[in-house]
């Protein structure tokens, strides 16, 4: 499974898309001020995992790129594709 996230410069994830490993390359087009990054899925994430819960629970550590758990207070703007 491949995981792509759309995030801001601070690593806050706005959207997430997962595709099978053998699918053609997906290049999301992020809105202005956002970036897209392919990252390692967190341990335990499966193709059936809830993407909205993922978006609300993780942020991107762009130095790796790897996602790390985070606490969020503003979950209203979060979306899952």
């Amino acid at each position: 499974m491949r995981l792509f996230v759309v995030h801001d410069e601070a690593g806050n994830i706005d959207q997430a898309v997962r595709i099978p490993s053998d699918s053609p390359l997906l290049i999301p087009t992020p809105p202005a001020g956002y970036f897209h990054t392919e990252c390692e899925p967190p341990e335990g994430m499966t193709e059936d995992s809830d993407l909205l819960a993922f978006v609300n629970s993780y942020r991107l550590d762009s130095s790796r790129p790897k996602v790390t758990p985070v606490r969020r207070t503003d979950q209203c703007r979060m979306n899952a594709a």
Side-chain angles (χ1 to χ4, degrees), residues 3 7-8 12-13 16 23 34 37-38 60-61 69-71 74 79-80:
L3 178 65
H7 58 92
D8 64 15
N12 299 308
I13 300 171
S23 289
Y34 286 83
T37 302
E38 182 175 7
L60 180 71
D61 179 352
V70 67
R71 290 184 182 253
D74 177 16
N79 300 305

Side-chain angles (χ1 to χ4, degrees), residues 29-49:
T29 304
Y34 286 83
F35 309 90
H36 74 274
T37 302
E38 182 175 7
C39 60
E40 297 175 28
E43 186 174 325
M45 181 179 226
T46 67
E47 292 182 10
D48 297 332
S49 295

Side-chain angles (χ1 to χ4, degrees), residues 7-78:
H7 58 92
D8 64 15
E9 191 172 318
N12 299 308
I13 300 171
D14 189 64
Q15 297 179 34
V17 177
R18 66 176 164 237
I19 62 171
S21 298
D22 58 353
S23 289
L25 180 61
L26 170 72
I27 302 177
T29 304
Y34 286 83
F35 309 90
H36 74 274
T37 302
E38 182 175 7
C39 60
E40 297 175 28
E43 186 174 325
M45 181 179 226
T46 67
E47 292 182 10
D48 297 332
S49 295
D50 181 356
L51 281 179
L52 185 56
F54 164 77
V55 167
N56 288 327
S57 301
Y58 287 85
R59 66 182 301 279
L60 180 71
D61 179 352
S62 58
S63 66
R64 293 189 189 140
K66 185 174 182 173
V67 292
T68 56
V70 67
R71 290 184 182 253
R72 290 191 194 258
T73 55
D74 177 16
Q75 298 181 359
C76 300
R77 68 179 189 84
M78 302 303 146

